[in-house]
């Protein structure tokens, strides 16, 4: 009996290398220098706004103090406290109260966690902030050299950690997964007639989005969770739609039919609105792309002349004699010497492509046009002794 092939495991997309306390690998992705710099820029902008607010509040508070209490030492102390609050208190406060996310990290989708995947602690947040202020940003100790060292450490580390992460034992990871969305069927042929009669006025966007997400990720669920979610969603959708559907179909099919009809009606409304907009404001409607030019007709080469129709020579008085076919040679193709043999079977009215008309009276000379009419050919008819003798008499 042949052994059954083992299914190949689906590789995960996470590269953070985090392992939970239950020895389970976490499928999360480590944040690299690009996303972290973007989050830092957003945080710097917010810190600058917070510093301006603190300066305004401190200025009003110092201005309200009695005369003689304000001196240089008090001003320096207020400045130091403000810098500590902005540069150190800002990240520590948000990381502790917002689950390891500052406003910049929350906008980009990042989070600070411990190396074991647990939530970041107060000691770790404070260590990260102090190391960052002293060495990395703004880098109070050798600013330029410390910036180069911090960027080098982040680029060389396998998980993209900076000096503060290495000292505090933390790591920044992505919290947004790259989910592959599958297309939802736009219509169900078996339920097209029922879907056309649906009243969807009470179906709000939130419920439709929940059904859309379920159908797009249905392959990720396993039974019995898949069936429970489908029945729960269909119960909510059926409560706000009429008439009831025909029996015998599973709940995901009903959801797909409802969403397909909703999308179809949305497309019709959009097309009607665009048509009205085009009639009212044609200058706002983009012009259609120009039609492609028709294929150009091939031009006749300059060296090719059309065939000249034969023009018969009017008959002269006396006896008319037609030049026999054997005596009219064909004209040369490009003005070369005439071919004495001539084409076999050539008529007296045409030679080659141009046509030749020849008629002679007695010993008169006949002019025949060659190919292209460029080189005429002189043809002499043989004399008849009887005709010549009659004319002398």
């Amino acid at each position: 009996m042949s052994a059954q092939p083992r299914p190949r495991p689906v590789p995960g997309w996470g590269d953070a290398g985090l392992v939970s306390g239950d020895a389970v690998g976490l499928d999360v992705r480590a944040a690299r220098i690009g996303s972290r710099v973007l989050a830092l820029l957003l945080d710097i902008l917010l810190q600058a706004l917070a510093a301006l607010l603190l300066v305004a509040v401190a200025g009003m508070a110092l201005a309200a103090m009695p005369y003689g209490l304000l001196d240089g030492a008090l001003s320096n102390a207020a400045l130091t406290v403000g810098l500590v609050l902005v540069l150190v208190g800002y990240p520590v406060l948000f990381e502790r109260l917002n689950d390891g996310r500052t406003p910049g990290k929350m906008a980009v989708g990042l989070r600070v966690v411990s190396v074991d995947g647990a939530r970041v602690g107060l000691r770790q947040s404070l260590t990260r902030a102090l190391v960052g202020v002293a060495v990395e940003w703004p880098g109070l100790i050798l600013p330029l050299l410390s910036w180069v060292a911090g960027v080098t450490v982040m680029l060389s580390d396998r998980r993209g950690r900076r000096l503060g992460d290495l000292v505090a034992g933390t790591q920044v990871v992505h919290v947004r997964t790259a989910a592959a969305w599958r297309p939802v069927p736009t219509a169900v042929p078996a339920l097209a007639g029922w879907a056309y009669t649906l009243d969807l006025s009470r179906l709000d966007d939130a419920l439709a989005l929940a059904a859309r997400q379920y159908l797009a990720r249905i392959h990720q669920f396993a039974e019995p969770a898949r069936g429970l979610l489908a029945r729960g969603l269909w119960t909510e959708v059926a409560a706000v739609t009429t008439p009831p559907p025909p029996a015998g179909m599973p709940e995901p099919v009903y959801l797909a039919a409802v969403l397909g009809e909703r999308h179809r009606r949305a497309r019709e409304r959009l097309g009607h609105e665009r048509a009205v907009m085009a009639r009212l404001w044609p200058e706002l409607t983009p012009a259609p792309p120009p039609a492609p030019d028709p294929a150009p007709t091939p031009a006749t080469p300059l060296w090719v002349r059309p065939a000249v129709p034969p023009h018969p020579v009017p008959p002269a008085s006396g006896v008319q004699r037609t030049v026999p076919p054997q005596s009219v040679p064909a004209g040369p193709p490009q003005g070369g010497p005439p071919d004495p043999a001539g084409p076999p079977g050539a008529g007296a009215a045409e030679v080659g492509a141009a046509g030749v008309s020849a008629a002679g009276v007695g010993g008169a000379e006949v002019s025949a046009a060659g190919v292209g009419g460029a080189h005429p050919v002189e043809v002499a008819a043989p004399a008849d002794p009887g005709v010549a003798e009659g004319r002398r008499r």
Side-chain angles (χ1 to χ4, degrees), residues 74 129 162 210 229 275 278 376:
L74 184 59
R162 62 180 179 90
L229 286 174

Side-chain angles (χ1 to χ4, degrees), residues 11-12 91 102 121 134 137 152 159 167 171 183 201 205 213 230 254 269 301 306 313-314 332 344 349 356 365 383 387:
T102 60
W137 176 260
T152 304
R159 302 178 185 178
V167 175
Q171 184 176 349
S201 58
D205 295 339
Q213 291 177 344
Y254 293 142
R269 287 195 304 270
V313 180
V356 178
E365 294 181 350
V387 176

